[in-house]
Amino acid sequence: MKSARFQEWIDHWWRRAENELNTFMPTPPLRVDASNSSAHFKTARGFAYTDTTTDAAGRVHPYIVIASKLLQQPTDRILGVLLHEIGHALDAVLLPTGLDNWAARHGRWLAGTPERRADDIVKAVFDVTIKYDAEDVQTIGPGVSPRPEELGL
């Protein structure tokens, strides 16, 4: 699969988030680590992470970095990983209290720990449950939910 397709998926889900949250947010760019050189990618389940930059005005801009090894994974896993990272990106862009208030107004609850919170954001905004497959990687296919504690919360 081509990485350009991944950016299309991120754009699609980000637009859905804008509609649901009734706000405009610049879409986070996708960066592909072709060499899988990040320390995060050295583990078997390390496929992506979200990071941020801050501009001179203090605005936070998230970006999503994927390992090239994600390109060869099943679609359910790819979407699970990307959506989980979009959850982190939304959390970075929106003030946490603003996102918590939005969730509460919609009868939803967001975890206080970053990894489960990202999954909860995906569920609250997109009504998609992030699960963890037999290899403990995010998926929208068969798996367990919530995130297993041994993976870190």
Side-chain angles (χ1 to χ4, degrees), residues 35 42 49 60 78 81 85 89-90 115-116 132 136-137 150 152:
S35 65
K42 300 301 181 197
Y49 65 89
V60 174
I78 292 169
V81 168
E85 296 307 326
L90 288 169
E115 298 303 325
R116 280 197 175 165
Y132 291 78
D136 290 331
V137 178
E150 63 270 14

Side-chain angles (χ1 to χ4, degrees), residues 98-150:
L99 196 51
D100 287 333
N101 291 339
W102 173 88
R105 283 194 311 273
H106 291 83
R108 299 168 181 146
W109 178 83
L110 305 177
T113 56
E115 298 303 325
R116 280 197 175 165
R117 183 177 174 86
D119 293 346
D120 288 348
I121 290 168
V122 171
K123 179 65 175 172
V125 175
F126 305 120
D127 197 27
V128 173
T129 301
I130 299 296
K131 299 176 192 155
Y132 291 78
D133 64 21
E135 296 170 341
D136 290 331
V137 178
Q138 294 93 345
T139 183
I140 61 168
V144 298
S145 180
R147 180 186 179 93
E149 287 186 29
E150 63 270 14

Side-chain angles (χ1 to χ4, degrees), residues 10 14 17 21 25-29 49-52 60-65 81-95 99 114 117-118 121-122:
I10 291 170
W14 200 257
L21 299 167
M25 305 167 288
T27 304
Y49 65 89
T50 299
D51 206 347
T52 61
V60 174
H61 302 279
Y63 59 92
I64 298 170
V65 181
V81 168
L82 289 178
L83 284 168
H84 174 84
E85 296 307 326
I86 288 170
H88 283 304
L90 288 169
D91 207 22
V93 168
L94 301 167
L95 293 174
L99 196 51
R117 183 177 174 86
I121 290 168
V122 171

